[in-house]
């Protein structure tokens, strides 16, 4: 296979050994495939003493069976299965001119008939992906889901994913989604319209046709807008230096394939940081108003489930560390929100994140400072 480009420190450049190796190769040979070494060989032998029906042998197991005739009885030798799924692309080692020794780890284990058939089907499925045009890298990531994850945890993940799809369908059916709401869509961090006289725009749905109405902010909405702007200003003072400092730190201490790779990585980290930034003003507004907006229990349950579902997939899917950490930022914000929901009273006059306000007057006095 074509070897992956070497990662280097962009400021200091390549080491002397890397430059010497590159000078030995002609320019046309840099993108040519080279031999790689698999450092691991996994052997599995079926340990079950199973008697098969000779007229209806399982097709998946049959190709791994070797038959011998002993008298009038046909026997099969112990079934040997060479595990190809455990061989990941990331573990391959390039064989170059300076290579004199290479490590090899041979593992031997027994396997049950059911587990053997499962791994045979998984191995065939990965091979089929490559036949359909998937790259070796994509197929290798699918391999990692099954090899690097406990099977029981994997089964739990599939169950949670199926439940999540069902929950999404029920949420859509019960009209929980944001674009289905039919009241004011002015909420925290939602600046649809702002002019000098603090006008607001309200969208009312008449069937499938939206109707726009303009009015003025109430005192509660004006305070919410003021605190929202204040929170964004304070948080930007913190996050701008962090993003710049993180980019400079990665340039000095982390190796990249190219300047373009460093630039994309810095931008992605900035996107994650500002995604976290836009979730925090709601907590600040709750703190300043000493109340939380009302949220129907269906929407609240959907919010809670949707917050933690990403955590499950963060453990089984190969992804950059920054993206995996971004999956847990929602958890932090949601846990703080739960604490505020327990600490402060619910104010139904406030517009929640779905753009709904449930009462014109408060039913209980707000929390005092």
């Amino acid at each position: 296979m074509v070897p992956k480009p070497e990662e280097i420190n962009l400021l200091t450049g390549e080491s002397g050994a890397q430059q010497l190796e590159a000078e030995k190769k002609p320019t046309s040979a840099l993108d040519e495939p080279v031999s790689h070494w698999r450092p691991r060989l996994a052997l599995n032998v079926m340990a079950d003493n199973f008697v098969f029906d000779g007229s209806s042998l399982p097709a998946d197991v049959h190709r791994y069976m070797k038959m011998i005739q002993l008298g009038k009885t046909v026997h099969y030798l112990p079934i040997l299965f060479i595990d190809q799924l455990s061989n990941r692309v990331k573990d391959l080692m390039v064989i170059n001119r300076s290579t004199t020794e290479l490590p090899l780890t041979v593992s031997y284990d027994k396997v049950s008939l059911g587990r053997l058939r499962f791994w045979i089907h998984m191995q065939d499925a990965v091979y089929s992906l490559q036949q359909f045009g998937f790259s070796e890298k994509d197929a290798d990531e699918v391999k990692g889901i099954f090899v690097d994850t406990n099977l029981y945890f994997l089964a739990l993940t599939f169950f949670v994913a199926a439940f999540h799809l069902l929950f999404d369908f029920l949420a859509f059916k019960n009209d929980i989604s944001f674009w289905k709401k039919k009241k004011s869509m002015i909420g925290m961090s939602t600046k649809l319209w702002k002019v000098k006289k603090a006008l607001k725009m309200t969208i009312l749905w008449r069937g499938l046709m939206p109707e726009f109405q303009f009015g003025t902010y109430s005192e509660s909405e004006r305070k919410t807008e003021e605190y929202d702007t204040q929170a964004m200003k304070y948080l930007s003072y913190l996050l701008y230096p962090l993003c710049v400092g993180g980019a400079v730190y990665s340039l000095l201490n982390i190796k990249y394939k190219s300047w373009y790779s460093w630039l994309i990585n810095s931008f992605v980290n900035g996107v994650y940081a500002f995604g976290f930034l836009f979730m925090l003003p709601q907590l600040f507004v709750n703190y300043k108003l000493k109340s939380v907006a009302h949220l129907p229990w269906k929407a609240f349950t959907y919010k809670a489930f949707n917050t933690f579902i990403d955590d499950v997939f963060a453990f089984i899917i190969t992804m950059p560390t920054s993206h995996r950490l971004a999956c847990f930022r929602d958890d932090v914000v949601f846990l703080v929100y739960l604490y505020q929901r327990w600490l402060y009273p619910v104010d139904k006059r406030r517009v929640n994140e779905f753009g709904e306000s449930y009462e014109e007057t408060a039913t209980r006095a707000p929390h005092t400072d």
Side-chain angles (χ1 to χ4, degrees):
M1 62 179 293
V2 177
K4 294 187 295 185
E6 291 285 343
E7 293 184 345
I8 60 174
N9 188 299
L10 297 176
L11 296 180
T12 60
E14 294 182 331
S15 63
Q18 291 175 325
Q19 289 181 347
L20 184 62
E21 188 66 28
E23 290 173 357
K24 292 180 180 179
K25 297 181 180 179
T27 306
S28 59
L30 295 178
D31 295 331
E32 292 181 358
V34 298
S35 298
H36 286 67
W37 174 262
R38 296 185 184 274
R40 186 171 182 271
L41 178 63
L43 305 176
N44 297 281
V45 174
M46 192 185 80
D48 294 350
N49 186 18
F50 195 85
V51 179
F52 292 96
D53 186 354
S55 59
S56 58
L57 287 173
D60 50 0
V61 180
H62 181 262
R63 65 178 185 267
Y64 290 92
M65 299 177 70
K66 296 185 180 299
M67 311 294 187
I68 58 173
Q69 182 81 30
L70 295 178
K72 296 182 179 180
T73 307
V74 177
H75 297 262
Y76 63 92
L77 295 176
I79 299 177
L80 175 66
F81 177 71
I82 301 177
D83 184 8
Q84 299 288 349
L85 289 176
S86 60
N87 292 323
R88 302 290 305 280
V89 172
K90 64 180 182 180
D91 298 328
L92 296 179
M93 305 175 65
V94 177
I95 304 177
N96 52 39
R97 298 179 182 179
S98 60
T99 303
T100 57
E101 291 184 355
L102 288 168
L104 176 62
T105 301
V106 181
S107 61
Y108 173 84
D109 199 3
K110 62 182 181 179
V111 63
S112 63
L113 177 60
R115 196 178 184 88
L116 171 65
R117 299 187 67 179
F118 174 80
W119 287 121
I120 290 176
H121 283 291
M122 290 299 101
Q123 194 162 282
D124 291 345
V126 172
Y127 178 77
S128 299
L129 291 178
Q130 294 178 304
Q131 299 303 308
F132 285 130
F134 280 69
S135 65
E136 188 171 8
K137 180 177 181 294
D138 295 334
D140 186 71
E141 290 180 355
V142 175
K143 244 199 271 187
I145 294 177
F146 296 97
V147 175
D148 299 338
T149 309
N150 183 277
L151 287 180
Y152 296 105
F153 182 71
L154 189 62
L156 175 63
T157 304
F158 286 149
F159 172 77
V160 171
F163 186 73
H164 184 243
L165 291 175
L166 176 62
F167 205 86
D168 281 341
F169 172 75
L170 294 177
F172 177 79
K173 186 177 180 181
N174 286 278
D175 212 22
I176 296 179
S177 62
F178 174 76
W179 297 106
K180 288 288 185 179
K181 291 303 168 185
K182 302 180 180 180
K183 290 195 177 181
S184 172
M185 300 189 69
I186 295 294
M188 287 167 286
S189 301
T190 308
K191 303 176 179 68
L192 294 179
W193 192 266
K194 183 192 287 186
V195 294
K196 188 175 181 180
K197 293 185 178 179
L199 295 178
K200 71 173 181 178
M201 180 177 66
T202 303
I203 302 177
L204 298 177
W205 291 88
R206 308 296 185 188
L208 297 178
M209 297 296 296
E211 178 181 323
F212 299 91
Q213 296 181 356
F214 296 91
T216 58
Y217 281 108
S218 65
E219 185 63 25
S220 175
E221 291 173 333
R222 190 174 293 108
K223 285 186 177 180
T224 299
E225 187 73 16
E226 177 185 348
Y227 293 145
D228 182 82
T229 304
Q230 186 179 357
M232 292 292 292
K233 181 179 69 174
Y234 291 155
L235 290 171
S236 63
Y237 292 160
L238 175 66
L239 283 184
Y240 281 127
L242 284 178
C243 290
V244 175
V248 174
Y249 175 83
S250 63
L251 181 62
L252 295 175
N253 298 279
I254 301 178
K255 296 181 179 180
Y256 292 95
K257 299 175 184 178
S258 63
W259 285 96
Y260 178 76
S261 177
W262 169 78
L263 188 64
I264 292 297
N265 184 75
S266 300
F267 282 149
V268 168
N269 290 335
V271 170
Y272 291 143
F274 282 98
F276 187 60
L277 167 68
F278 286 117
M279 290 190 293
L280 293 179
Q282 178 183 356
L283 304 180
F284 182 78
V285 172
N286 292 343
Y287 168 73
K288 297 296 287 186
L289 295 178
K290 297 297 186 291
S291 65
V292 293
H294 175 69
L295 199 63
W297 71 269
K298 291 182 180 179
F300 179 79
T301 305
Y302 177 78
K303 181 184 179 72
F305 188 81
N306 204 44
T307 298
F308 296 105
I309 186 65
D310 292 338
D311 302 348
V312 180
F313 293 98
F315 288 105
I316 68 169
I317 297 178
T318 303
M319 61 181 67
T321 304
S322 56
H323 186 79
R324 181 171 280 114
L325 292 176
C327 292
F328 297 101
R329 68 187 180 187
D330 299 354
D331 303 353
V332 176
V333 175
F334 187 70
L335 290 175
V336 176
Y337 170 76
L338 289 180
Y339 173 73
Q340 290 183 331
R341 193 177 176 91
W342 169 80
L343 182 64
Y344 302 139
V346 174
D347 186 358
K348 292 188 176 182
R349 297 175 304 167
R350 285 182 54 185
V351 178
N352 61 27
E353 62 193 79
F354 292 100
E356 282 196 319
S357 178
Y358 289 86
E359 281 187 5
E360 297 297 331
T361 58
T363 56
R364 55 184 295 191
H367 193 284
T368 58
D369 291 335

